[in-house]
Amino acid sequence: MFRQREELEVKIAKKQRQAAALAALNDLSQETDQLLDLGLTGLTDACRSAFMAARNGNLTPVEVRDRLRQLQFPIYEYKNVLAAIHTVLKRLEKQGEIKKRIHDVHDGRDESVYEWLGRKR
């Protein structure tokens, strides 16, 4: 059942991404906003959805930010969204939901690749 739940979450995240892309193409403003309730309650959940929607489950912090934009998550509300994403990634890594695949930090920029492992029960 946990495996089925994980598979459903991945399917949902992919559909959310598709719906967000279609909404962006259509841009019906308020009507779209009301119809398109993606259920992304916070940055952590939105980051999880970004990883689950990724084809191979591997993303850099910048790719996470770009996916959040595609999901129409309000990243503009954050003063420094990449710093907030890095904080979420560290938390998810500590919880065992993601794993750093490629450690690439240079000139103060973290371009490491993180792999989605799944939610811990």
Side-chain angles (χ1 to χ4, degrees), residues 1-10 121:
M1 290 176 85
F2 285 125
R3 186 175 41 80
Q4 288 175 331
R5 180 175 137 197
E6 182 80 21
E7 289 170 2
L8 286 173
E9 286 177 350
V10 169
R121 283 124 187 114

Side-chain angles (χ1 to χ4, degrees), residues 1 3 6 10 16-17 22-23 29 36-38 49 56 59 62-63 67 74 77 81 90 99 101 103-104 107-108 120:
M1 290 176 85
R3 186 175 41 80
E6 182 80 21
V10 169
Q16 287 174 332
R17 183 173 170 219
L22 289 172
S29 64
L36 188 61
D37 179 15
L38 297 179
S49 292
N56 62 6
L59 296 172
V62 171
E63 290 171 331
R67 299 282 175 134
E77 293 179 1
V81 71
K90 287 178 187 174
K99 179 180 179 181
R101 276 298 192 204
H103 184 72
D104 184 14
D107 296 331
K120 297 301 172 195

Side-chain angles (χ1 to χ4, degrees), residues 27-70:
D27 194 16
L28 301 174
S29 64
Q30 268 188 350
E31 290 176 19
T32 300
D33 292 342
Q34 291 169 358
L35 292 173
L36 188 61
D37 179 15
L38 297 179
L40 303 176
T41 56
L43 183 59
T44 301
D45 283 337
C47 288
R48 284 183 181 119
S49 292
F51 275 101
M52 288 188 280
R55 291 192 191 281
N56 62 6
N58 298 319
L59 296 172
T60 66
V62 171
E63 290 171 331
V64 171
R65 181 200 60 204
D66 294 344
R67 299 282 175 134
L68 295 179
R69 277 190 190 133
Q70 289 175 340

